[in-house]
Amino acid sequence: MGPGTPGAAASPRALPLVARLSYAVGHFLNDLCASMWFTYLLLYLHSVSAYSSRGAGLLLLLGQVADGLCTPLVGYEADRAAGCCPRYGPRKAWHLVGTVCVLLSFPFIFSPCLGCGAATPEWAALLYYGPFIVIFQFGWAATQIAHLSLIPELVTNEHEKVELTALRYAFTVVANITVYGAAWLLLHLQGSPHVGPTQEISDELGVQDVPVFRNLSLLVVGIGAVFSLLFHLGTREGRRPRWEEPDEHSPLLTHEAQPLLLWKHWLQEPAFYQVGLLYMSTRLIVNLSQTYMAMYLTYSLSLPKKFIAIIPLVMYLSGFFSSFLMKPINKWIGRNMTYFTGLLVILAFSAWVALANGLGVAVYVAAVLLGMGCATILVTSLAMTADLIGPHTHSGAFVYGAMSFSDKVANGLAVMAIQSLHPRGSDLCCTACVGFYHWVMVAVTGGVGVAATLVLCSLLLWPIRLRSWNPGTQ
């Protein structure tokens, strides 16, 4: 479009397709790792490495707490870094630091403990994984917050935020499909008669599956590194002047057209807590259902181990296709009703699982329902968070960080509570596991879904808007 063409400046913040796609792949490494973390960590530690259910839950709790503590700190520092790295951008700089930490630490989590033997006590083996988990979760948090806080930086239009969030989630689904597809392929190759005499172990998870998870983790970091490079090459962060919190040395009169909304002002906003509770409930449903789906398939439904890749793959394929409907549905019925529709689908899945003793081939239909519902509520809750931030992008990273803090800690505590209720903490499983994981799936979808519905009702009564902060009095 030439300089004299009408409408040349009509949409100054609109992003071209290449820029939108390059942004959308910036979280791909995190999504690949998160898929393995939530879907296979407990299964790997409990069923493959033969650690106790409580020990496996403790490691997942450590990771979630580390992530939760790092997230608001990273968000606060990312906001303070505005004006630093003017050529590269403060958000992208944090993204790069996080990416390096993830690449260096993640493969060790899904590999055997170096130096451990049959006589090594469990506590020592679990202690070995601790530093790698903390480094991984710090890097994951840095990458996530830097990437999320770029949304209100890159676009300002409400529907463009939904589109960017939906694109981001679409690649999240692609990442999950990649992990589950690769897991199915590795398990299939392991059971192939051309590989070796493995016929008697082809349907049972055990120590012979350690190479499968190790190779899968190496594949994950390799693919993720390529997509992170594409993000850094194709995404340009806007340059903003550095801002500082007012102190005794600050001038009484400034030339700012409008005062800044600082991190401490968000803590006085009721909408901040409303959206935070909704986001936390959403993540509990999505992450806990992902965490315990493999256990449910293995122990409650007694399916062969290939289904720990096939059923999650079906879930995320349905989520992938439904994510493209988010923008028109949000325009048609609005944010709240879109989120409520997703909750209804999840509650339908929960009721089905609760009433059915065995699903049979219907497990595929149930997986489609859960995938569609999770995609709908996740995309919509992220769009609501972007709505809350609005034009206050200078403190957007803190908002995302605070909400991720609540979600990470809540997920870790929930997993630890469930693992503590496990029928037998030391053995791999027992007959009581059949009913245990059945009702875990009902609780993490139906129980948390009801709680999310109550939070959504508060948003219907008091819509998202800033009530306590008055720019004229700051």
Side-chain angles (χ1 to χ4, degrees), residues 337-392:
M337 289 307 299
T338 302
Y339 189 92
F340 183 65
T341 302
L343 278 180
L344 286 180
V345 175
I346 290 172
L347 292 174
F349 165 85
S350 178
W352 191 357
V353 171
L355 297 174
N357 292 326
L359 293 178
V361 293
V363 69
Y364 293 101
V365 181
V368 169
L369 287 178
L370 185 58
M372 291 175 60
C374 288
T376 301
I377 63 174
L378 185 56
V379 170
T380 308
S381 66
L382 286 172
M384 287 177 174
T385 307
D387 289 342
L388 175 68
I389 295 172
H392 308 290

Side-chain angles (χ1 to χ4, degrees), residues 172-466:
T172 298
V173 174
V174 172
N176 282 274
I177 292 170
T178 303
V179 169
Y180 300 136
W184 175 85
L185 182 62
L186 290 172
L187 289 169
H188 177 73
L189 291 175
Q190 182 204 42
S192 172
H194 299 291
V195 177
T198 58
Q199 295 301 314
E200 73 271 12
I201 59 168
S202 60
D203 286 341
E204 296 278 338
L205 279 170
V207 68
Q208 73 279 353
D209 295 302
V210 167
V212 171
F213 291 93
R214 182 196 60 214
N215 295 338
L216 185 59
S217 66
L218 292 173
L219 189 64
V220 158
V221 296
I223 296 173
V226 174
F227 280 91
S228 294
L229 179 63
L230 294 176
F231 163 77
H232 283 276
L233 292 177
T235 303
R236 292 192 176 185
E237 182 178 352
R239 301 178 185 179
R240 295 180 289 115
R242 182 181 178 88
W243 64 273
E244 296 179 355
E245 295 186 29
D247 56 22
E248 66 270 15
H249 301 295
S250 303
L252 295 177
L253 298 176
T254 66
H255 298 287
E256 291 283 338
Q258 199 174 50
L260 295 173
L261 183 64
L262 304 179
W263 67 270
K264 56 189 176 185
H265 299 140
W266 286 110
L267 302 179
Q268 303 169 15
E269 291 295 333
F272 174 77
Y273 299 99
Q274 286 176 287
V275 177
L277 284 173
L278 194 70
Y279 183 79
M280 182 184 73
S281 302
T282 301
R283 282 294 184 178
L284 280 172
I285 294 172
V286 174
N287 293 342
L288 291 179
S289 62
Q290 186 178 3
T291 298
Y292 286 100
M293 176 58 76
M295 297 290 200
Y296 173 66
L297 296 171
T298 302
Y299 299 120
S300 295
L301 299 184
S302 301
L303 295 174
K305 65 183 181 183
K306 65 180 180 180
F307 280 89
I308 67 173
I310 294 174
I311 296 302
L313 184 62
V314 172
M315 285 173 52
Y316 281 94
L317 279 173
S318 63
F320 176 77
F321 291 115
S322 62
S323 66
F324 291 105
L325 301 176
M326 291 301 102
K327 185 177 179 180
I329 291 176
N330 270 267
K331 281 185 176 181
W332 182 35
I333 61 177
R335 297 268 200 272
N336 293 339
M337 289 307 299
T338 302
Y339 189 92
F340 183 65
T341 302
L343 278 180
L344 286 180
V345 175
I346 290 172
L347 292 174
F349 165 85
S350 178
W352 191 357
V353 171
L355 297 174
N357 292 326
L359 293 178
V361 293
V363 69
Y364 293 101
V365 181
V368 169
L369 287 178
L370 185 58
M372 291 175 60
C374 288
T376 301
I377 63 174
L378 185 56
V379 170
T380 308
S381 66
L382 286 172
M384 287 177 174
T385 307
D387 289 342
L388 175 68
I389 295 172
H392 308 290
T393 59
H394 44 268
S395 55
F398 170 78
V399 176
Y400 283 116
M403 292 186 181
S404 291
F405 169 78
S406 64
D407 122 59
K408 300 302 188 311
V409 174
N411 272 283
L413 292 175
V415 168
M416 193 62 208
I418 293 171
Q419 293 299 105
S420 298
L421 296 174
H422 192 273
R424 294 172 68 181
S426 57
D427 295 340
L428 291 184
C429 206
C430 58
T431 53
C433 292
V434 175
F436 177 73
Y437 289 114
H438 172 89
W439 290 109
V440 165
M441 282 302 297
V442 173
V444 301
T445 53
V448 183
V450 171
T453 304
L454 296 177
V455 179
L456 182 64
C457 289
S458 74
L459 289 176
L460 294 174
L461 295 175
W462 300 284
I464 299 174
R465 65 182 180 87
L466 301 183

Side-chain angles (χ1 to χ4, degrees), residues 128-150:
Y128 163 85
Y129 289 104
F132 296 113
I133 287 176
V134 171
I135 294 171
F136 162 67
Q137 292 292 359
F138 166 77
W140 202 97
T143 304
Q144 181 201 35
I145 296 306
H147 194 256
L148 279 175
S149 59
L150 275 171

Side-chain angles (χ1 to χ4, degrees), residues 1-10:
M1 185 177 289
T5 306

